[in-house]
Amino acid sequence: MDYAKKFPKDPLPSLWFVNDVVRQNGLQTHEPKKRTKGQNIVSRLKFPIRSIVGLGRIQQASDFIGKKYITGRKEPVCLFSTSYYQWLQLYQVWRVSSEKVENVTSCLSELWKRFPVPHVMRMDNGMTFRGTGKQEAHIGRCVIFLLNHGITPLFSSPYQSYTNPHIEGHNRTFTEKLWSTQHFTSDKQIEEECSRFNAESEEFCRWNFKDRFNDNSFHFLSETVASDRQEILHSAKGKKICFIRFVERWKENHDACGVTILNRFVCLPDSYLNQYVFVTLNLETAFIIFTTEHEGRITQILKQRFPYFL
């Protein structure tokens, strides 16, 4: 982006060329990470990439960055982050008071007044996002908030962060490039640095995807829309919640093969052990559907009733 501004008449160099020149001249701040975990999971473990991509054009991910501490304070700093990873590329981070649903909904509602409401929101299975506690088949407030805005919640596989790679990668970059290089002593300093970071990310997004922002199909929130639309599900018609799950044996269920969905165990045939499945809970019909992928082909393996509670 800086090169394009400085030399507007020149053809843009590719990102590969820029990275190669940086490497050759020893200008990298860190050695590239050796990627081992998560490699080949698409083919080897039947990761449902086609099912994920097909959920919607604009996809976004959200997460809380791990606990951070600043000089002179015992209490941890809480940071909430979100990123568009399909159709748009934007990473934003805010300091929030705690990992509460209200902070998630407030940050996202403000963002969606300037950037389009996504079709899919990808999250981990943390209590704030899942909101079910120990209750079985209970749908929490954060999920209801997303559903009321026409967004499909997509939960990654528990304890496998690489099944939500986009936000995890951004969070790692934020920690290494910003948090670890600054010496923070107050909330004000953190907020100022996050604001600068967000402004740079937004500038690049609007420059890089300027043609896409002319799309009239984008949906934005109006200034009058409240950020707390998460108490009651307005309608179940056409609504669904999706899950990425890894099939394994559960000692708690007599070594049965299966997965847990909203704290409810669902048994699957042993032939699907040690692979991923894609799960869709249809809220309108209260049915749950399990599919598997092989060489780009999606096959339904189980469909059964799944009563839930709001």
Side-chain angles (χ1 to χ4, degrees):
M1 185 175 67
D2 291 337
Y3 187 95
K5 289 180 178 178
K6 190 172 183 179
F7 305 102
K9 296 182 180 180
D10 288 2
L12 282 175
S14 67
L15 288 176
W16 177 89
F17 175 78
V18 174
N19 291 331
D20 191 51
V21 172
V22 168
R23 282 193 296 268
Q24 290 181 6
N25 289 273
L27 298 176
Q28 282 182 309
T29 56
H30 295 281
E31 182 181 354
K33 289 182 172 62
K34 294 180 180 179
R35 302 195 177 193
T36 55
K37 191 174 183 179
Q39 281 189 332
N40 301 322
I41 63 171
V42 172
S43 58
R44 180 167 50 88
L45 301 180
K46 316 301 182 187
F47 193 74
I49 186 67
R50 183 179 174 187
S51 297
I52 295 170
V53 172
L55 281 178
R57 182 179 58 168
I58 304 174
Q59 299 197 11
Q60 189 176 348
S62 293
D63 193 15
F64 285 99
I65 302 178
K67 300 294 185 183
K68 305 295 181 185
Y69 294 85
I70 62 176
T71 303
R73 184 186 299 175
K74 295 180 180 179
E75 296 80 9
V77 175
C78 187
L79 297 167
F80 172 68
S81 65
T82 189
S83 69
Y84 290 90
Y85 64 89
Q86 184 167 294
W87 191 253
L88 296 175
Q89 293 177 11
L90 174 76
Y91 178 69
Q92 302 280 277
V93 60
W94 301 271
R95 186 196 71 81
V96 293
S97 60
S98 60
E99 296 185 5
K100 294 173 62 177
V101 175
E102 290 77 10
N103 290 327
V104 172
T105 59
S106 176
C107 290
L108 292 177
S109 295
E110 287 301 314
L111 178 68
W112 294 335
K113 293 175 182 178
R114 299 179 292 109
F115 284 87
V117 177
H119 301 112
V120 179
M121 177 62 74
R122 196 164 173 175
M123 307 167 289
D124 63 23
N125 296 267
M127 183 67 68
T128 304
F129 300 120
R130 183 167 49 92
T132 59
K134 294 182 179 181
Q135 301 177 69
E136 185 178 291
H138 177 80
I139 297 176
R141 291 185 299 153
C142 185
V143 173
I144 293 176
F145 165 78
L146 296 174
L147 293 170
N148 282 340
H149 284 298
I151 301 167
T152 299
L154 171 61
F155 287 96
S156 60
S157 186
Y159 309 112
Q160 297 175 334
S161 59
Y162 59 85
T163 60
N164 190 10
H166 311 89
I167 192 68
E168 295 290 346
H170 282 307
N171 289 348
R172 184 171 59 249
T173 300
F174 175 85
T175 299
E176 293 179 352
K177 302 292 185 181
L178 191 148
W179 189 268
S180 299
T181 61
Q182 304 286 336
H183 179 70
F184 296 106
T185 59
S186 69
D187 290 339
K188 183 179 179 181
Q189 284 181 308
I190 298 172
E191 290 166 0
E192 288 176 349
E193 196 63 26
C194 286
S195 295
R196 184 190 64 80
F197 186 92
N198 291 345
E200 290 180 357
S201 178
E202 179 173 339
E203 182 186 10
F204 178 76
C205 179
R206 293 191 181 279
W207 173 83
N208 197 34
F209 299 100
K210 49 184 174 291
D211 294 336
R212 295 186 178 182
F213 277 96
N214 295 324
D215 192 327
N216 294 326
S217 66
F218 280 173
H219 170 59
F220 299 87
L221 296 190
S222 66
E223 292 292 334
T224 58
V225 172
S227 64
D228 59 350
R229 298 175 59 189
Q230 72 266 24
E231 298 296 336
I232 301 174
L233 182 62
H234 298 163
S235 172
K237 186 175 181 179
K239 303 294 174 59
K240 61 185 178 182
I241 306 173
C242 297
F243 307 83
I244 303 167
R245 288 295 184 262
F246 189 72
V247 184
E248 51 192 330
R249 293 199 181 280
W250 292 75
K251 293 182 179 179
E252 303 90 336
N253 291 279
H254 309 289
D255 281 334
C257 176
V259 300
T260 57
I261 305 296
L262 300 178
N263 292 336
R264 178 181 290 167
F265 181 76
V266 179
C267 188
L268 293 173
D270 286 359
S271 56
Y272 298 104
L273 184 65
N274 296 328
Q275 73 158 73
Y276 286 97
V277 291
F278 190 79
V279 187
T280 303
L281 171 57
N282 187 317
L283 299 182
E284 184 176 0
T285 63
F287 268 88
I288 196 166
I289 300 172
F290 291 77
T291 61
T292 183
E293 287 188 26
H294 177 64
E295 296 181 349
R297 295 191 302 272
I298 300 175
T299 304
Q300 180 176 311
I301 59 177
L302 178 67
K303 180 179 180 180
Q304 66 181 44
R305 286 200 57 81
F306 194 92
Y308 61 88
F309 308 93
L310 296 171

